[in-house]
Amino acid sequence: MFETKNSYLNDVARDQSLRNPVTEDVHKAARAYRLRRVREQLVKNDCAAVLLYDPVNIRYATDASNMQIWTAHNASRYAMVFADGPVIIWEFHNCEHLCEHLETVDEVRLAINWAYFGAGPRVSEKAKVWAAEIADLLRQHGGGNMRLAVDKMEPEGVPCLNALGVQLQQGQPLLEQARAVKSAEELELMKWTITVCEHGIQRMSDELRPGMTEQELWAYLHFENIRHGGEWIETRLLASGPRTNPWMQECSNRVMNEGEIIAFDTDMIGPYGYCADISRAWTVGHVRPTDEQRRLYSAAYQQIHHNMDILRAGMSIKEFVDKSWPIPDEFYKNRYCCVAHGIGMADEYPAIAHAGADWEKAGYDGILEENMTICIESCIAVEGGKEGIKLEEQVLITKNGCVPLSSYRWEEGWLI
């Protein structure tokens, strides 16, 4: 195990610098705004209600949180939001008390787990009981409208609902559109997560030295997130030296050597379920970079800042893509998967494809609206090269441009 010096664990001054400023009034206002956004989408799409299984969507609509990672792959809790009616949550066994503080939840019931893990060979039986309850609620509160949006669901449930007169619609587009534009209170919650994330990044920077493994360094971000009320980290994207090219290699037990590039992507779900998605790159030991490292870093920095400079509310996604930084041929093969993407409680709409072949294959248009939050991406690495650079910045779109939500420093002394 790598032994640290001047342990950050006992740094009382830094601990005191992170006192949560978010009030309960902010929480209530954010919850009210998010629920209203969901209901607006239901009305717009002529749906009586939306049935939610994705724990991120449940959190967005209600602020109810329970075993978020576990329930993402075990369909054991769900929620139903009516356009003009109650919000009902079906909770996991003996978890009804978890929603007692939420004014957004009108009723809590015991979930019927009809996925195979919970129901085994009784899936069909359990699914029919579940569907009957859902259909009955639609008849009670839907005003004659039997159109139900669903974000995700096991296939067995579809014919069960259809047989009871329920008309199904994809629910994820409704939730993505609802989540895209942030309120002032949401931004306050997100900024606090970013503050916690930057605290973790600084700790990684302070602790970084030759001889430690990638995983030992990465653990500091997890530690700072969890001890400040954060929840989980979506990926393990930290790499050093030759593992930075190509990108997307998750952190390992590789021992880092002085002078190598170390780059990371936080993908951190922090306090209150909001995401901080920031990438930076350093040298191991914080020694002077080589000329080639500086060249790669300068290109990545240029890509990030060029694309930040052109971004503003009211422009179309296609216009943004057409004006985005043209990736030089030597870096094109190892480009990042997108120019930018939305961010909120996780990565979200829109995912903005690069121009050219990427746009033809996966691009879609839309309008970049005021108070969307976006992550601007860059990955710069020569095909077959020794190392690469990964940078990313989280920003708020305004009518006058974009505003960085992170204040964590760049390595401006590397620029050429």
Side-chain angles (χ1 to χ4, degrees):
M1 177 65 69
F2 182 80
E3 298 293 332
T4 64
K5 298 178 181 178
N6 302 319
S7 176
Y8 191 101
L9 289 170
N10 296 318
D11 189 338
V12 176
R14 291 194 184 183
D15 283 354
Q16 291 178 342
S17 72
L18 285 189
R19 291 294 180 261
N20 190 340
V22 180
T23 66
E24 182 56 26
D25 287 344
V26 169
H27 284 287
K28 287 183 177 180
R31 288 196 287 263
Y33 171 82
R34 295 186 324 224
L35 181 55
R36 183 170 65 251
R37 291 277 298 180
V38 173
R39 285 176 161 152
E40 288 170 354
Q41 285 295 318
L42 290 172
V43 171
K44 182 178 179 180
N45 289 273
D46 190 27
C47 290
V50 61
L51 180 66
L52 304 172
Y53 270 95
D54 186 326
V56 176
N57 286 335
I58 294 172
R59 181 69 172 274
Y60 179 83
T62 69
D63 213 20
S65 176
N66 185 8
M67 302 183 294
Q68 296 292 83
I69 299 296
W70 192 84
T71 57
H73 60 88
N74 288 291
S76 55
R77 64 189 291 263
Y78 44 99
M80 197 169 178
V81 178
F82 282 87
D84 185 15
V87 175
I88 302 169
I89 286 187
W90 287 262
E91 267 296 357
F92 188 73
H93 174 72
N94 280 349
C95 290
E96 296 88 344
H97 58 287
L98 298 180
C99 298
E100 288 176 352
H101 66 292
L102 294 173
E103 70 284 352
T104 48
V105 178
D106 298 301
E107 183 182 354
V108 182
R109 301 185 179 193
L110 178 63
I112 299 173
N113 187 339
W114 52 274
Y116 193 82
F117 173 69
R122 300 178 66 184
V123 167
S124 294
E125 170 198 341
K126 295 281 189 178
K128 288 176 182 177
V129 175
W130 163 87
E133 184 178 13
I134 298 298
D136 184 60
L137 286 167
L138 277 172
R139 294 188 192 99
Q140 289 181 50
H141 302 293
N145 184 350
M146 295 294 287
R147 286 170 56 81
L148 176 67
V150 183
D151 62 352
K152 65 178 185 178
M153 183 172 60
E154 296 284 330
E156 185 79 20
V158 174
C160 294
L161 289 172
N162 287 341
L164 297 171
V166 178
Q167 303 167 43
L168 296 177
Q169 177 174 323
Q170 289 284 351
Q172 191 62 33
L174 280 66
L175 266 294
E176 293 280 357
Q177 290 293 330
R179 287 162 51 180
V181 178
K182 310 302 186 292
S183 69
E185 293 80 13
E186 278 196 280
L187 292 171
E188 192 168 337
L189 296 173
M190 182 181 288
K191 287 174 183 177
W192 174 241
T193 281
I194 291 172
T195 296
V196 169
C197 183
E198 291 177 334
H199 197 69
I201 294 172
Q202 186 58 47
R203 172 133 189 219
M204 287 198 299
S205 177
D206 292 346
E207 300 286 358
L208 174 61
R209 54 184 55 83
M212 69 191 310
T213 69
E214 294 170 352
Q215 289 172 164
E216 285 171 330
L217 182 63
W218 192 230
Y220 288 115
L221 181 64
H222 287 253
F223 179 84
E224 293 298 334
N225 184 36
I226 297 302
R227 76 163 174 158
H228 289 102
E231 301 191 4
W232 73 88
I233 293 179
E234 297 253 85
T235 66
R236 290 165 46 85
L237 291 173
L238 180 149
S240 62
R243 299 184 73 252
T244 61
N245 183 6
W247 185 242
M248 298 301 290
Q249 299 188 68
E250 297 199 322
C251 68
S252 71
N253 63 356
R254 180 183 186 273
V255 174
M256 298 183 289
N257 300 307
E258 184 172 276
E260 294 177 330
I261 289 293
I262 172 269
F264 58 88
D265 188 343
T266 60
D267 288 324
M268 190 190 96
I269 309 300
Y272 316 121
Y274 282 88
C275 186
D277 195 2
I278 301 163
S279 294
R280 295 293 187 267
W282 307 315
T283 55
V284 176
H286 298 297
V287 299
R288 179 176 174 81
T290 66
D291 289 346
E292 178 62 6
Q293 289 170 339
R294 292 178 62 208
R295 185 178 80 89
L296 297 174
Y297 189 94
S298 295
Y301 181 93
Q302 184 179 352
Q303 182 176 22
I304 291 282
H305 287 82
H306 172 97
N307 291 343
M308 285 173 57
D309 288 345
I310 64 173
L311 183 61
R312 55 189 31 81
M315 73 188 312
S316 71
I317 292 173
K318 185 65 166 63
E319 180 186 2
F320 173 64
V321 169
D322 288 343
K323 293 180 177 179
S324 65
W325 189 73
I327 302 173
D329 290 345
E330 64 173 326
F331 305 134
Y332 189 78
K333 172 66 170 59
N334 286 328
R335 68 195 179 281
Y336 198 70
C337 65
C338 62
V339 181
H341 62 82
I343 193 75
M345 288 188 158
D347 288 2
E348 60 187 32
Y349 169 88
I352 302 178
H354 292 281
D358 287 4
W359 182 265
E360 294 301 318
K361 180 180 179 181
Y364 55 81
D365 209 353
I367 299 298
L368 296 169
E369 299 180 55
E370 189 172 6
N371 291 331
M372 279 183 166
T373 45
I374 298 288
C375 288
I376 308 295
E377 297 274 11
S378 179
C379 180
I380 295 294
V382 177
E383 184 177 3
K386 182 178 178 181
E387 294 178 305
I389 297 290
K390 172 68 171 67
L391 299 179
E392 181 178 10
E393 186 70 308
Q394 192 162 333
V395 304
L396 170 68
I397 298 179
T398 77
K399 61 184 177 182
N400 297 318
C402 78
V403 177
L405 293 172
S406 167
S407 60
Y408 199 85
R409 68 183 181 274
W410 303 97
E411 302 304 312
E412 294 183 341
W414 294 19
L415 300 179
I416 59 175

